[in-house]
């Protein structure tokens, strides 16, 4: 009996030691995750501070921006502005390169409504970029691959740091409304689209299919470099789902 008790105690001690080691590892991951969040936020704050000096430029003044501003100043009617923006979008679709969703969104250049409103552009673009990237990585790492949330945070913050701080042109990616809508926003919506496709494949809820179709429509109406990855990714997802019987 004494030998059996010693064996059981030793077994319990090994289990306790293993759990303690895992708990310690999780604790370390959480500390690193918090540190990464702090570092990331410290790099974002300066970007938002200098946003007050951002103003419209280049194509922000094109595509009948003057007409839309005149319509807004004369009527202050959102409906009249939407009608004018839709008409401008149809004209650009026919005489330019065939884009329509991003062209329509580009109609809402902030300075049209208020000359001091352009500072909001990097806030919106960073929100889209971090939101689309974060929700996609969360579903991939936490829901599908079963990573710990702390590990997901570490990976995501590291990606944010690299992607944002080393983007070839911070101005065009986050501060210039016309260019950011065409690329940064469309790229972010692309990640939302892939996220909704994955949720539909794994969970089967039609609401996710509807959201995937809506976001795919938006990306499809934008620039070719934006919607090509969507088509490839969605095709891969559905093929993979078919192979695994989902």
């Amino acid at each position: 009996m004494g030998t059996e008790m010693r064996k059981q105690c030793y077994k319990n001690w090994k289990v306790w030691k293993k759990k303690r080691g895992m708990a310690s590892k999780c604790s370390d991951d959480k500390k690193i995750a918090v540190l990464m969040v702090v570092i990331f936020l410290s790099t974002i704050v300066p970007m938002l501070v200098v946003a007050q000096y951002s103003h419209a430029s280049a194509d922000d003044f094109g595509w009948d921006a003057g007409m839309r501003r005149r319509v807004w100043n004369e009527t202050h009617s959102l409906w009249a502005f939407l009608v004018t923006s839709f008409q401008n979008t149809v004209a650009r679709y026919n005489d330019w390169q065939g884009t329509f969703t991003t062209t329509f969104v580009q109609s809402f250049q902030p300075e049209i409504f208020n000359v001091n409103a352009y500072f909001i552009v990097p806030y919106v673009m960073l929100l889209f970029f971090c939101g689309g990237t974060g929700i996609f990585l969360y579903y991939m790492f936490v829901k599908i691959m079963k990573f710990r949330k702390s590990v997901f945070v570490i990976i995501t913050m590291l990606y944010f740091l690299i992607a944002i701080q080393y983007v070839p042109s911070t101005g065009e990616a986050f501060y210039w409304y016309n260019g950011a809508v065409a690329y940064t926003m469309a790229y972010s919506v692309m990640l939302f689209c892939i996220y909704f496709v994955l949720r539909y494949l794994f969970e089967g809820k039609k609401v996710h299919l509807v959201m995937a179709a809506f976001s795919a429509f938006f990306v499809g109406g934008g620039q070719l470099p934006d919607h090509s990855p969507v088509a490839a990714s969605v095709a891969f997802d559905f093929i993979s789902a078919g192979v695994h019987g989902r």
Side-chain angles (χ1 to χ4, degrees), residues 92-117:
R92 297 292 78 75
Y93 176 82
N94 290 321
D95 64 20
W96 192 41
Q97 60 179 9
T99 56
F100 52 92
T101 51
T102 52
T103 304
F104 182 74
V105 175
Q106 286 166 342
S107 300
F108 296 83
Q109 193 263 96
E111 279 194 1
I112 289 177
F113 305 97
N114 189 310
V115 71
N116 298 316

Side-chain angles (χ1 to χ4, degrees), residues 84-140:
T84 303
S85 299
F86 179 78
Q87 292 172 344
N88 293 161
T89 300
V90 172
R92 297 292 78 75
Y93 176 82
N94 290 321
D95 64 20
W96 192 41
Q97 60 179 9
T99 56
F100 52 92
T101 51
T102 52
T103 304
F104 182 74
V105 175
Q106 286 166 342
S107 300
F108 296 83
Q109 193 263 96
E111 279 194 1
I112 289 177
F113 305 97
N114 189 310
V115 71
N116 298 316
Y118 205 83
F119 77 93
I120 199 174
V121 174
Y123 287 82
V124 174
M125 297 309 162
L126 284 169
L127 183 63
F128 264 93
F129 179 79
C130 294
T133 304
I135 199 170
F136 167 67
L137 293 180
Y138 177 82
Y139 200 80
M140 283 290 295

Side-chain angles (χ1 to χ4, degrees), residues 105-180:
V105 175
Q106 286 166 342
S107 300
F108 296 83
Q109 193 263 96
E111 279 194 1
I112 289 177
F113 305 97
N114 189 310
V115 71
N116 298 316
Y118 205 83
F119 77 93
I120 199 174
V121 174
Y123 287 82
V124 174
M125 297 309 162
L126 284 169
L127 183 63
F128 264 93
F129 179 79
C130 294
T133 304
I135 199 170
F136 167 67
L137 293 180
Y138 177 82
Y139 200 80
M140 283 290 295
F141 289 137
V142 178
K143 294 299 183 179
I144 297 178
M145 302 175 69
K146 306 302 180 183
F147 281 24
R148 291 190 300 276
K149 290 182 180 180
S150 55
V151 176
F152 150 74
V153 171
I154 294 171
I155 295 174
T156 303
M157 292 301 108
L158 182 61
Y159 176 79
F160 284 165
L161 284 169
I162 296 173
I164 295 175
Q165 298 304 319
Y166 288 94
V167 67
S169 174
T170 306
E172 292 188 11
F174 300 108
Y175 292 89
W176 180 37
Y177 183 76
N178 195 282

Side-chain angles (χ1 to χ4, degrees), residues 236-246:
F236 174 80
D237 288 340
F238 276 104
I239 292 172
S240 178
V243 171
H244 292 88
R246 291 187 180 277

